Amino acid sequence: QSEGFRWPAEWESHRATWLAWPHNPETWPGHLAAAEAAFVEMVRALAPGELVRVNVADAALEARVRGLVGREAARRVECFAFPTDDAWVRDHGPVFVTRGRERAVLDFRFDAWGGKYPPWDRDDAVPRQVAEALGLPRFAADFVLEGGSVDGDGQGTVLTTESCLLHPNRGPGRDREVMERRLADFLGARRVVWLAGAVEGDATVGDVYDLTRFVAPGVVFPVVEHDDREALHGASLENLQRLRGARDAQGKPLTVIELPMPPPVRAGKDRLPASYANFYLANGVALVPVFDVPSDERALAILAEGLPGRRVVPIPARDLVFGLGAVHCLPQQEPEASDTHVRPPA
């Protein structure tokens, strides 16, 4: 248990963003170079506002990373020799919590989304390695939880999905009561809002970052699929209803701002998990996946209006989703510790 530590919201001040450089050709068959190019765009957008800490296998990959991102961005890049099985730090990496000026790492078990993509032992070791490298306390959980399966407002409200958190392939005995208690113990959840469904093609079976995101206390951006021929249509309307009826940990209703879904992005006949909710909030910027489709412009405009004071940076993600993930699946934020607790709005 996390002993009074708080899980800061993603929009709170970051010390760094963690990434694992893409290297597995099986994840991006025929698209690894394009995935690297998207990573370069992400690093260049992040570096002016915070450190970018990158897990690499060896010195050769570090040199490649520094060469690709360019001299200016490389000044803000720190590489760590933590080999990974894959690049999805959001799900396998450390979850950082704070208590005043103290910081700590939560280390949840990782099993590659129910054992789908062996091996995963190097990914599962990353939170411990990060805690040791930074000299931070580590709270180890005895259950599986992917970082992308939860989203929080920093004030005790957690969004998650039934399809992911309650799936039996993550371990036995995962009912709502058990998981809400675990979320309370480790993430300080005082109110859990359960959502349904999964974006088609999502190998995680419903990580919440493709469905709905907090962007401020009490403000959520769900994707809504209005085309009744698409698989997400019913679940997205159900989620919209749940969110409009939900209350946060302070007992207040949520402000719900709809995002569109892009048209299907496919690899052959297979639908890939493209979603505009898969954006990442960092210091001064929002990195937003775009898919080279007309709806990109509308999604960017909605996010620009809903994220005042934050530069909205489009990240080409049509190749990223060949790896069955996009922008938010890849980074994990390392928050700044502060004496000031973020208070709920009056």
Side-chain angles (χ1 to χ4, degrees):
Q1 298 184 5
S2 54
E3 299 181 1
F5 281 80
R6 184 179 70 90
W7 181 37
E10 189 173 303
W11 58 81
E12 296 183 45
S13 181
H14 296 182
R15 180 171 298 187
T17 286
W18 285 82
L19 295 168
W21 203 256
H23 57 84
N24 189 342
E26 294 181 10
T27 301
W28 284 283
H31 295 264
L32 182 58
E36 277 196 305
F39 268 69
V40 169
E41 294 298 311
M42 291 172 64
V43 171
R44 289 176 176 171
L46 292 166
E50 60 197 88
L51 293 173
V52 184
R53 291 177 158 159
V54 183
N55 295 336
V56 295
D58 51 37
L61 187 53
E62 175 175 355
R64 178 175 177 80
V65 169
R66 293 189 177 280
L68 286 171
V69 303
R71 183 177 300 176
E72 186 174 349
R75 292 192 186 102
R76 301 284 285 165
V77 170
E78 296 180 350
C79 289
F80 292 78
F82 302 156
T84 61
D85 299 297
D86 221 323
W88 311 110
V89 175
R90 173 64 52 181
D91 277 352
H92 73 241
V95 174
F96 291 90
V97 290
T98 64
R99 184 174 63 187
R101 299 196 66 81
E102 300 174 75
R103 299 182 307 147
V105 162
L106 304 183
D107 182 359
F108 298 104
R109 287 177 52 207
F110 178 73
D111 69 351
W113 309 282
K116 290 183 178 180
Y117 302 104
W120 57 81
D121 54 300
R122 290 184 294 186
D123 286 348
D124 191 38
V126 166
R128 175 184 54 78
Q129 292 173 311
V130 169
E132 290 173 355
L134 299 182
L136 297 179
R138 179 176 65 98
F139 300 103
D142 63 355
F143 59 92
V144 169
L145 185 84
E146 296 105 25
S149 68
V150 287
D151 193 31
D153 66 353
Q155 300 176 4
T157 317
V158 171
L159 296 170
T160 191
T161 67
E162 298 157 346
S163 54
C164 191
L165 245 62
L166 306 184
H167 201 296
N169 72 354
R170 266 59 161 209
R174 297 169 70 95
D175 60 27
R176 284 196 188 212
E177 182 180 355
V178 166
M179 295 312 297
E180 287 192 6
R181 185 168 63 250
R182 289 171 170 175
L183 294 177
D185 287 346
F186 282 87
L187 298 177
R190 292 183 289 116
R191 179 70 56 86
V192 178
V193 179
W194 292 90
L195 301 177
V199 171
E200 192 174 350
D202 176 11
T204 74
V205 202
D207 269 359
V208 75
Y209 50 49
D210 275 333
L211 298 174
T212 300
R213 300 287 306 288
F214 271 115
V215 297
V219 183
V220 291
F221 276 63
V223 290
V224 180
E225 177 57 82
H226 290 287
D227 188 340
D228 61 10
R229 296 168 297 179
E230 297 295 339
L232 190 64
H233 173 70
S236 73
L237 295 181
E238 168 69 18
N239 287 339
L240 199 58
Q241 185 176 7
R242 293 189 192 190
L243 291 165
R244 286 173 173 162
R247 301 267 171 169
D248 67 14
Q250 282 70 48
K252 297 179 179 180
L254 302 176
T255 298
V256 181
I257 302 171
E258 297 182 28
L259 279 173
M261 277 290 286
V265 177
R266 298 187 185 277
K269 295 181 179 179
D270 295 329
R271 177 80 174 261
L272 301 174
S275 168
Y276 293 119
N278 205 293
F279 57 84
Y280 177 59
L281 303 178
N283 289 349
V285 296
L287 308 187
V288 180
V290 292
F291 305 98
D292 195 24
V293 292
S295 54
D296 290 347
E297 187 175 347
R298 181 176 163 223
L300 290 168
I302 292 169
L303 285 164
E305 183 177 353
L307 298 169
R310 201 177 287 272
R311 185 167 62 97
V312 172
V313 181
I315 301 295
R318 199 170 184 96
D319 291 287
L320 280 181
V321 293
F322 273 82
L324 306 184
V327 171
H328 190 263
C329 315
L330 296 164
Q332 179 62 262
Q333 66 273 9
E334 178 187 336
E336 284 284 7
S338 171
D339 289 327
T340 305
H341 182 84
V342 178
R343 299 183 182 278

